[in-house]
Amino acid sequence: MILPIVAYGYPILNKKCEEISSDHQDLDQLINNMWETMYASQGVGLAAPQINESIRLFLIDTTPFMDEDKK
């Protein structure tokens, strides 16, 4: 599911996020939704606060920056 991304100035972006554990409720689904959202937005990274979740979680995909000669 593609999630809405909040814009600069949204209050959650100024809050200190909570730590989470691997048993966080629906964590796998949240991560999958974040990947889908990031790729749909043509991004290379996404943090949970950007989708209005005040938790310490982010994704990054560095493959767009790989050196083509080293593949």
Side-chain angles (χ1 to χ4, degrees):
M1 172 191 327
I2 297 174
L3 305 167
I5 296 176
V6 300
Y8 175 79
Y10 204 80
I12 198 166
L13 299 175
N14 291 319
K15 287 184 173 182
K16 183 175 180 178
C17 297
E18 299 174 19
E19 290 189 33
I20 62 169
S21 64
S22 59
D23 62 343
H24 183 82
Q25 183 178 357
D26 300 322
L27 182 59
D28 289 340
Q29 186 62 46
L30 175 61
I31 291 171
N32 287 333
N33 290 342
M34 287 178 68
W35 281 118
E36 188 175 349
T37 301
M38 182 184 76
Y39 289 130
S41 301
Q42 299 179 337
V44 295
L46 184 68
Q50 291 175 287
I51 56 157
N52 204 28
E53 292 285 336
S54 188
I55 57 175
R56 294 181 186 178
L57 175 65
F58 72 93
L59 310 171
I60 188 166
D61 180 359
T62 61
T63 55
F65 304 106
M66 290 180 61
D67 186 354
E68 291 293 323
D69 296 333
K70 294 184 181 181
K71 279 189 175 181

